[in-house]
Amino acid sequence: MAQDWLTQPHPVVVIGGSSGSIEVLLTLLPGLRSPLRSALIVVVHRRNTADSTLSELLALRTRIPLKEVDEKEPVEAGVIYLAPADYHLLIETDFTFSLDDSEKINYTRPAIDVTFESAAAVYGPWLTGILVSGANADGVNGLLAIRQAGGRALVQKPETALVNFMPQQAVQQQAFDQLVDVDDMVAYINSL
């Protein structure tokens, strides 16, 4: 490991979702306090073409700096990072981002599992994964990896999700520490 866990400067939160997740983000982002004391990494299934519309839409909902990830960019507290279209997003042991265009996983790129699992290996107990609305099981294995590494796994309450398949899969696999609604997510991130 590049550093001991106790010398980590800040916690990291990764949010993953698919169908219906944009609605969650549009509700969550305005409630986050600035300055954000954690890094917030967002991985959503999106079209395969480069398109800044999503980052522009989300940036309008928050006062916290929000940007699409660049290769080798360091993970810093106080920033909301959005996984770019058509790349898997990984966290390296030197606490930088890496973009990968290898095969799709769970029929998608970026895949939530890829980001959750790589972040778990680097941040361990400093990491929280949040899985929200979506139509496939991507993210469930990543939540299990986060829990195994000592991190915390939150899952949107299936009954509050626009598309409940993804959260329901996490519940069935017992890949969560707590079921939450959007207000709970906001309160949790603000408490870090």
Side-chain angles (χ1 to χ4, degrees):
M1 298 290 163
Q3 293 181 340
D4 184 80
W5 295 128
L6 298 176
T7 65
Q8 290 299 311
H10 57 80
V12 174
V13 177
V14 288
I15 297 178
S18 185
S19 302
S21 63
I22 303 305
E23 289 78 0
V24 171
L25 293 169
L26 292 175
T27 303
L28 181 141
L29 293 179
L32 297 180
R33 285 197 298 261
S34 180
L36 190 63
R37 292 178 296 208
S38 61
L40 181 60
I41 303 166
V42 177
V43 181
V44 293
H45 296 169
R46 50 197 293 204
R47 291 180 299 166
N48 291 342
T49 56
D51 181 0
S52 61
T53 307
L54 179 58
S55 59
E56 291 169 3
L57 173 68
L58 296 178
L60 289 173
R61 303 295 291 204
T62 182
R63 292 166 292 155
I64 300 164
L66 184 146
K67 64 182 306 297
E68 284 199 4
V69 171
D70 291 319
E71 175 74 18
K72 288 299 180 194
E73 182 173 9
V75 181
E76 297 179 359
V79 179
I80 300 169
Y81 297 98
L82 179 62
D86 211 26
Y87 288 96
H88 294 305
L89 180 62
L90 296 99
I91 316 299
E92 300 291 341
T93 56
D94 64 354
F95 312 106
T96 62
F97 290 107
S98 178
L99 301 177
D100 178 74
D101 63 356
S102 62
E103 291 184 27
K104 293 181 178 182
I105 298 173
N106 293 312
Y107 309 102
T108 189
R109 189 176 48 228
I112 300 164
D113 279 334
V114 170
T115 304
F116 280 17
E117 290 168 2
S118 71
V122 173
Y123 286 101
W126 287 86
L127 181 67
T128 299
I130 304 176
L131 192 64
V132 300
S133 181
N136 72 20
D138 190 21
V140 174
N141 289 335
L143 286 179
L144 291 169
I146 289 169
R147 293 183 76 208
Q148 187 172 28
R152 188 161 175 80
L154 307 180
V155 172
Q156 183 178 7
K157 294 176 181 174
E159 64 272 17
T160 69
L162 190 60
V163 180
N164 69 6
F165 188 84
M166 190 175 279
Q168 191 61 49
Q169 290 301 302
V171 170
Q172 288 176 0
Q173 297 296 319
Q174 298 183 347
F176 69 97
D177 294 301
Q178 186 175 354
L179 296 177
V180 293
D181 58 27
V182 177
D183 289 341
D184 297 329
M185 295 175 210
V186 170
Y188 179 83
I189 294 168
N190 284 335
S191 75
L192 296 174

